[in-house]
Amino acid sequence: MSLPRRYLPSITALLAFEAVARLGSATQAAAELSLTQSAVSRQLKALEAQLGVALLAREGRGLVLTAKGQEYVREVRGTLQRLAQAGVAARTVSEGGPLNLAILPAFGMHWLAPRLRDFARRHPEVTVNLSTRLAPFDFRNSAFDAAIHFGREDWPGVRYLPLLPETVVPVCAPALIPAPLGEAAEILRYDLLHLDTRPRGWARWLRALGHDVEPPPGMMFDQFATMAQAAIHGLGIALLPTFFAEPYLADGQLVLASEQTSQSIGSYFLVWPEDRTEPPALTSFRGWLEAQSLSS
């Protein structure tokens, strides 16, 4: 399509005109656009000379739109908006798109979700879709681009980005234990709540504190959230990650059952299939997530 170039102003001139029309001041427009006032004034004069019409008129100490200026600014704003949208769309095709991520519910809700707003602000070209998976799966039979994994580097066929180790704390309802137990083994006198994906959690916690004993069986749960609620209602002592337990401890629904904490048996990782080309959306997310884990 051939357009007469004499009617095609520069983007800088259009941005200056739109800003002055909106703010009513060349000084304020210059501050917004990081230009000098004289540069904005030159752009406005050049634009009016190019079009051959007066777009702005001085009124007192400000600038107002002429009738032609009011018509023109509507078209300019629509054009600038369409250009911006086209830029986002072009970037999305080359650098972004959807990112399908499998998450663990507690980690996703309490650690990842509060941080995702920052990722969305930094990478508007990427749309993150979250789904819950409690155990490793075969990436070849799924639409997931990546997943959050807890444990060790024992997921076959994937690459790993270490995120953070998990520190756990034993917690219970305030009425169950008035004050934290000084000796870890004393916890065996109480009902212990278990997570089915970590059936050896209590045994490993005790062993890390020097007690090679087998804890008694107890109620089993498939998620930290339901186990925490059971602890709140006095059904026993739960072993929870610190990032999950902190809100309950802060509002007094749960208290520490023991003075002892220990490093858990595993860490959190971002994993993604090693036999696929890494999509740009995953590259952006991986870089951002690495920075988040370093600052935690």
Side-chain angles (χ1 to χ4, degrees), residues 246-264:
E246 282 167 358
Y248 297 105
L249 294 170
D251 64 17
Q253 292 187 80
L254 292 172
V255 296
L256 291 175
S258 171
E259 297 175 350
Q260 307 292 327
T261 61
S262 70
Q263 199 70 11
S264 184

Side-chain angles (χ1 to χ4, degrees), residues 43-202:
Q43 292 293 336
L44 296 177
K45 290 178 181 177
L47 180 61
E48 290 182 323
Q50 186 175 12
L51 298 178
V53 295
L55 300 173
L56 294 155
R58 184 161 294 282
E59 187 176 279
R61 301 181 64 180
L63 295 168
V64 297
L65 291 166
T66 64
K68 284 291 185 182
Q70 291 175 0
E71 294 176 6
Y72 191 60
V73 78
R74 286 194 293 269
E75 296 296 330
V76 167
R77 284 173 178 155
T79 299
L80 291 174
Q81 180 66 27
R82 287 191 293 275
L83 282 172
Q85 291 172 344
V88 171
R91 185 179 177 187
T92 298
V93 170
S94 60
E95 300 180 16
L99 175 69
N100 298 316
L101 181 66
I103 61 170
L104 298 169
F107 184 86
M109 180 185 303
H110 293 271
W111 191 91
L112 180 60
R115 293 168 166 80
L116 278 180
R117 185 176 181 181
D118 179 73
F119 178 76
R121 179 179 63 82
R122 294 173 184 270
H123 295 280
E125 76 281 4
V126 177
T127 301
V128 180
N129 302 316
L130 303 177
S131 296
T132 298
R133 293 294 184 274
L134 298 177
F137 53 86
D138 189 345
F139 275 102
R140 294 173 299 179
N141 300 323
S142 80
F144 288 113
D145 300 298
I148 300 296
H149 172 55
F150 174 79
R152 300 177 176 137
E153 295 187 18
D154 54 2
W155 189 323
V158 302
R159 301 185 188 278
Y160 294 84
L161 172 66
L163 298 178
L164 68 157
E166 181 187 83
T167 302
V168 292
V169 288
V171 295
C172 63
L176 188 63
I177 299 178
L181 303 171
E183 175 56 48
E186 294 180 64
I187 215 161
L188 295 170
R189 303 201 309 261
Y190 298 87
D191 292 326
L192 302 182
L193 308 179
H194 301 263
L195 193 70
D196 62 3
T197 55
R198 304 183 194 178
R200 302 291 298 164
W202 277 113

